[in-house]
Amino acid sequence: MPDRKFLVTFSPHDRNPETTDKVMLTVIIAMLPIIANSVWYYGFYAIKGYVLTSLFCIGFELLFNKISGRPCSLKDNSALLTGLLLAMNMPAAAPWWIMLVGSFVAIIISKQVYGGLGQNPFNPALVARIFLLIAWPVEMTAWIQPTPIIRGFLFDTVSSATPLGTMKSDLLAKGHVVTANLASYTDQLIGNVSGCMGGDGAIFVLIGGLFMMNRKVISWHIPVSFIGSLFLFTGIVWAVNPARTVDPFMHIISGGVMLAAFFMATDYVTSPVIKRAQIVFGIGCGLITGIIRIYGSYPEGTGFAILIMNAFVPLLDKYMRPLSFGEVKK
Amino acid sequence: MPFFGFKGGVHPDYNKSLTMEKPVETLPVKPGDKYYLPLSQHIGAPAKPVVSKNQQVKTGELIAEAGGFISACLHSPVNGKVVSISHVVHPMAGRMEGIVIEADETNDEFVPISDEGTFQQIVQRAGITGMGGATFPTHVKLSPPKEVDSLLINGAECEPYLTCDHRMMLEETMKIIKGAVLIKEKLRIKNLIIAIEKNKPDAIKLFRKYEKEYGFELVPLYVKYPQGGEKQLIKACLNRVVPEGKLPVEVGVIVHNVGTAAAVYEAYTERKPLYERIVTVTGAVVNPKNLRVRVGTPILTLVEACGGFVGIPKKMVMGGPMMGMAVTSVETPVMKGTSGIVVYREEDMPNLTKYPCIRCGRCVDACPMLLVPSIMDRFVKKEMYEALEEHHVLNCIECGCCSYVCPSRRTLVGGFKTSKRHIMQMIKERGAKNA
Ligand code: SF4
Ligand code: SF4
């Protein structure tokens, strides 16, 4: 009888069909409505942006694999995901070299040098965004007016302010928010406002987010605690003094909060693995965003908030570990 | 009808329909066939042989006696001759000490065990071990050091593919009930609960009929793996939590598998020792079946009785897909705890492409013991056993839920199993130093 022709592995011998590359692909699919929406409003700019950042990110990932002699890691789909996210966090009119630098910072500096997929403490796309924002503030805030694609590919770079930017400058200049200067809820929800390529159009982000929840790729914990705490916090400030800030609903549909809450704060690698720690993480993101927006000099705050909370993830996971089954509290 | 549930767990594909409807067939004994009997069929000390080479033995005759309190007797599964006492294939240890018997005549009779002594002694003499896979010697469990108020009979059978318990519940209902009642009465236990997963409605219906008459309580269980884990079962049926590192007795419960209850009945009333059991043979075999086979029968014989392999077998698992052992040889014999043989072809095997841990938290959500497998796995890789101990790795029941859900195919349980051994050793040494 021929022995040893059978494969021996540890149990279990059956696995859930979900694999890491498929999970990443699901997130990419969930981004399609957002991508479509930005192409609708920014036409050629958006297409160029998504294509360039994706190619740059994939290129840097490959390059690093080659240099470090590691096997190709493209098949996990995470580089593509980072590329798309990075584009969403940039103004449509950002020049190509900004995208190149951003992709370098995202893939090489904030992911690969830490050891690649799963090892980075901070969300790569966000590190890149914040880096660019600090290094090239002018290019990173060169917002263009959204123009539906049916009016043709427009190439005019009419600079215009984001709604939250307008709010902040009104507040600084006049001491109170001028509601009349703000975009309507509808425009904000469908993304017909200036801003990052994928940051506005709350409805489309929500569609993607619900899709991910439905596919069990993400859970409600981070988005709900993030959005909920921002809503509550800004709501309280607004209720006390409506001239101080916009209403809480406006807060949660503008400035990329939805994108941040569903697509960036939920990044597996840089968020807690324990559910109740995720809630604390989400609340932290929401509160810091609110504090920056209302008391800081920067109008948005979601990116900073998530990066700050990323730093707390190891602590949250450590101290919020549930008691194991039957464990006696000491 | 109480139901309290537990956190975590997974819902694998059950694949039970292959054999669910198939009545148990008895695999005949053929003269000339060899039976391989490892001396360690159970947790605890191996048994000690009491026969010698070339000795003629009868079915049910004692061939090795318990090597201590936590050990079990071994009986000849057939009439035949002891052809060797040396090494036989063992699913866990590779090869180990064992007795080989060659059958010479077919006969359904057996040598009855003596009925002297206490209930526990009779059970011990019959060589009964847990039939659900953990193979703890049954008489030990029947000698609780503490007062027990509840006896739980485990008919969950939550492992995918396996249907041997299900068939037994349908075909040997009375043996199970009477065995359970017997244990209850002998140990003066107040409550008797029989728990069955809801995906066996026919079994539930059948047991319902006898609920009043025999004074037990039937608890239909939510279908979720590892519902049949002792600690999960106790939580689900009685809402009691077994403290970490303790046995069910600690909370006044003992748990026995349905097959064990039936074996206890057979031992006590029919004086039959444990030398055969029901095994589900399934997966890539021509005609999957539930077979009643003698302990010691090589897997190949079982597969042949099912019409042989379909395609090229790539992996053979003894037990279920979640906790079973992959065996290397078709010579591996059926043991007292062998509930199933699952054959996989290359194409039946899951995609095992490994990725780094992406910290998705799926393993954390799936762990029924509320551990943090992803973080523990990092300590495994770095051999940080102290940190693992602090993360309660010893509480891991090795159910495999974490590995099952991991999209990056980390070998989580594998690492925990190995680490647990290291840590036990560490604790022992610590104890020795302090003593
Ligand atoms: S399931 Fe796998 S990839 Fe996800 S956190 Fe656990 S070990 Fe990491
Ligand atoms: S094998 Fe251990 S760590 Fe993994 S899910 Fe089961 S109990 Fe938890």
Side-chain angles (χ1 to χ4, degrees):
Chain A
M1 256 182 275
D3 256 13
R4 283 262 162 212
K5 64 172 179 176
F6 297 105
L7 182 71
V8 177
T9 54
F10 277 119
S11 59
H13 308 286
D14 199 1
R15 300 297 166 98
N16 184 308
E18 195 86 296
T19 53
T20 292
D21 50 332
K22 280 200 230 163
V23 173
M24 299 287 174
L25 197 62
T26 310
V27 179
I28 293 170
I29 292 170
M31 288 173 165
L32 293 179
I34 308 171
I35 296 175
N37 187 243
S38 39
V39 171
W40 171 260
Y41 281 118
Y42 299 109
F44 174 72
Y45 286 114
I47 296 172
K48 186 189 82 178
Y50 285 117
V51 170
L52 283 185
T53 50
S54 302
L55 287 181
F56 289 152
C57 282
I58 288 175
F60 281 124
E61 179 103 357
L62 256 184
L63 191 73
F64 196 89
N65 287 161
K66 282 262 146 34
I67 293 172
S68 62
R70 269 184 259 172
C72 169
S73 58
L74 286 185
K75 63 182 190 324
D76 64 33
N77 292 328
S78 66
L80 176 59
L81 183 59
T82 302
L84 294 174
L85 258 185
L86 182 60
M88 287 181 190
N89 277 286
M90 290 200 178
W96 66 271
W97 55 267
I98 285 248
M99 295 183 176
L100 184 72
V101 175
S103 304
F104 177 81
V105 173
I107 297 292
I108 305 289
I109 308 281
S110 46
K111 178 177 163 192
Q112 292 297 352
V113 297
Y114 285 104
L117 180 64
Q119 309 296 315
N120 49 299
F122 298 100
N123 185 319
L126 274 180
V127 174
R129 173 185 153 80
I130 302 294
F131 171 80
L132 295 175
L133 202 60
I134 293 167
W136 289 281
V138 177
E139 283 83 353
M140 283 300 285
T141 50
W143 313 113
I144 53 173
Q145 193 71 45
T147 320
I149 203 169
I150 37 166
R151 290 206 230 137
F153 281 110
L154 295 185
F155 294 98
D156 57 338
T157 48
V158 190
S159 210
S160 72
T162 68
L164 286 175
T166 311
M167 177 202 94
K168 185 108 281 174
S169 46
D170 282 349
L171 190 61
L172 294 177
K174 307 198 178 77
H176 60 90
V177 175
V178 185
T179 324
N181 287 350
L182 294 169
S184 72
Y185 288 138
T186 326
D187 281 343
Q188 192 67 63
L189 284 170
I190 62 170
N192 190 18
V193 291
S194 308
C196 292
M197 246 189 278
D200 296 303
I203 290 189
F204 300 94
V205 182
L206 202 61
I207 291 172
L210 293 178
F211 171 74
M212 286 195 290
M213 281 193 192
N214 179 265
R215 301 295 300 272
K216 301 232 161 36
V217 165
I218 60 168
S219 65
W220 59 268
H221 300 79
I222 292 176
V224 168
S225 56
F226 188 157
I227 297 169
S229 62
L230 177 65
F231 187 88
L232 267 182
F233 178 75
T234 54
I236 291 169
V237 176
W238 178 73
V240 173
N241 180 5
R244 187 91 184 79
T245 187
V246 293
D247 67 84
F249 188 65
M250 197 55 159
H251 266 291
I252 63 168
I253 60 173
S254 61
V257 167
M258 289 289 166
L259 186 71
F262 283 97
F263 285 87
M264 290 184 302
T266 54
D267 170 32
Y268 289 151
V269 176
T270 56
S271 64
V273 290
I274 292 164
K275 285 276 155 1
R276 51 184 190 168
Q278 290 180 354
I279 294 181
V280 177
F281 176 84
I283 293 176
C285 291
L287 288 184
I288 298 172
T289 304
I291 290 170
I292 294 177
R293 282 184 176 187
I294 295 174
Y295 303 106
S297 56
Y298 181 72
E300 279 176 19
T302 50
F304 290 110
I306 294 174
L307 287 183
I308 291 169
M309 289 312 292
N310 283 164
F312 287 100
V313 165
L315 281 181
L316 288 176
D317 269 342
K318 183 165 182 195
Y319 290 105
M320 299 200 73
R321 180 181 72 80
L323 287 184
S324 96
F325 190 93
E327 177 178 346
V328 190
K329 214 174 188 156
K330 278 185 204 130
Chain B
M1 171 183 57
F3 184 79
F4 303 100
F6 62 92
K7 278 205 193 118
V10 295
H11 297 273
D13 282 342
Y14 272 78
N15 289 319
K16 293 194 189 242
S17 54
L18 292 171
T19 50
M20 208 165 81
E21 312 276 335
K22 303 216 178 134
V24 177
E25 283 175 42
T26 301
L27 187 67
V29 172
K30 283 201 287 314
D33 275 358
K34 289 202 178 106
Y35 291 79
Y36 304 85
L37 299 140
L39 291 173
S40 189
Q41 307 246 344
H42 48 263
I43 290 172
K48 288 199 212 91
V50 295
V51 288
S52 48
K53 201 173 160 182
N54 292 329
Q55 184 178 331
Q56 209 56 39
V57 288
K58 293 232 169 300
T59 308
E61 193 176 323
L62 185 74
I63 54 172
E65 63 182 9
F69 181 60
I70 303 184
S71 184
C73 298
L74 191 59
H75 304 82
S76 174
V78 291
N79 290 345
K81 194 169 85 176
V82 176
V83 292
S84 79
I85 301 178
S86 62
H87 284 82
V88 297
V89 180
H90 186 274
M92 282 161 241
R95 296 183 85 77
M96 76 165 315
E97 244 343 57
I99 300 174
V100 183
I101 296 174
E102 189 180 309
D104 54 17
E105 54 164 334
T106 310
N107 185 336
D108 275 344
E109 279 158 26
F110 59 86
V111 181
I113 49 172
S114 109
D115 57 2
E116 281 161 31
T118 62
F119 177 57
Q120 284 82 357
Q121 282 166 340
I122 294 170
V123 170
Q124 177 170 27
R125 207 173 295 134
I128 302 174
T129 66
M131 309 278 279
T135 64
F136 200 73
T138 301
H139 65 273
V140 183
K141 263 197 189 177
L142 291 178
S143 318
K146 265 191 149 171
E147 194 171 337
V148 167
D149 64 10
S150 301
L151 168 63
L152 251 166
I153 301 296
N154 185 355
E157 195 164 48
C158 58
E159 272 269 9
Y161 283 102
L162 305 186
T163 55
C164 57
D165 286 357
H166 187 181
R167 289 315 305 178
M168 183 171 244
M169 287 189 271
L170 296 179
E171 297 174 35
E172 297 182 27
T173 321
M174 285 331 288
K175 271 189 191 167
I176 297 168
I177 295 177
K178 286 183 176 163
V181 170
L182 187 66
I183 300 172
K184 173 186 151 167
E185 281 169 0
K186 291 288 176 195
L187 270 65
R188 295 200 190 84
I189 297 173
K190 211 164 73 225
N191 312 313
L192 171 58
I193 296 172
I194 300 182
I196 306 174
E197 256 190 337
K198 281 182 189 159
N199 57 1
K200 304 165 189 66
D202 45 356
I204 293 180
K205 222 170 115 200
L206 201 54
F207 276 80
R208 269 269 184 261
K209 285 205 304 213
Y210 302 104
E211 206 176 352
K212 283 239 165 59
E213 188 183 340
Y214 288 90
F216 62 86
E217 183 180 10
L218 181 72
V219 178
L221 299 166
Y222 183 66
V223 179
K224 171 160 92 169
Y225 177 85
Q227 190 62 263
E230 276 192 343
K231 294 185 178 183
Q232 280 63 38
L233 200 65
I234 294 169
K235 174 72 175 62
C237 296
L238 292 159
N239 203 20
R240 296 185 195 168
V241 173
V242 181
E244 190 175 359
K246 294 279 164 53
L247 294 171
V249 185
E250 190 70 23
V251 291
V253 186
I254 48 177
V255 183
H256 285 291
N257 168 271
V258 283
T260 316
V264 167
Y265 172 83
E266 287 178 340
Y268 192 75
T269 45
E270 296 171 7
R271 297 165 62 201
K272 181 180 167 188
L274 179 66
Y275 60 81
E276 58 178 8
R277 66 158 296 137
I278 304 173
V279 180
T280 303
V281 186
T282 185
V285 292
V286 175
N287 187 8
K289 284 179 181 176
N290 295 297
L291 289 172
R292 178 186 304 281
V293 303
R294 305 286 166 102
V295 171
T297 314
I299 293 179
L300 188 64
T301 314
L302 271 62
V303 172
E304 280 167 355
C306 293
F309 294 112
V310 172
I312 302 160
K314 177 81 183 172
K315 192 196 243 185
M316 286 196 310
V317 172
M318 192 173 241
M322 297 299 289
M323 289 184 81
M325 289 282 220
V327 297
T328 51
S329 165
V330 287
E331 279 183 79
T332 314
V334 166
M335 306 216 297
K336 291 176 180 177
T338 305
S339 43
I341 304 293
V342 190
V343 181
Y344 292 84
R345 291 167 300 176
E346 182 89 57
E347 57 266 42
D348 305 323
M349 308 224 301
N351 174 355
L352 289 178
T353 313
K354 259 197 192 163
Y355 292 105
C357 168
I358 51 168
R359 296 180 39 86
C360 66
R362 283 177 172 75
C363 54
V364 182
D365 296 338
C367 179
M369 301 308 284
L370 308 183
L371 303 174
V372 200
S374 63
I375 293 174
M376 284 152 55
D377 193 46
R378 275 194 269 157
F379 298 138
V380 171
K381 299 275 123 65
K382 293 186 194 150
E383 300 186 12
M384 291 166 65
Y385 297 119
E386 307 270 346
L388 271 167
E389 193 190 351
E390 272 165 34
H391 276 75
H392 298 259
V393 73
L394 291 180
N395 209 5
C396 166
I397 56 169
E398 304 180 9
C399 65
C401 292
C402 49
S403 291
Y404 174 82
V405 294
C406 177
S408 287
R409 305 299 188 230
R410 316 298 307 159
T411 46
L412 300 162
V413 218
F416 304 150
K417 280 187 195 173
T418 325
S419 307
K420 275 166 78 174
R421 262 180 256 146
H422 279 282
I423 293 169
M424 301 281 221
Q425 188 62 34
M426 206 172 76
I427 292 174
K428 232 186 182 168
E429 279 162 18
R430 216 184 276 157
K433 222 178 278 165
N434 294 345

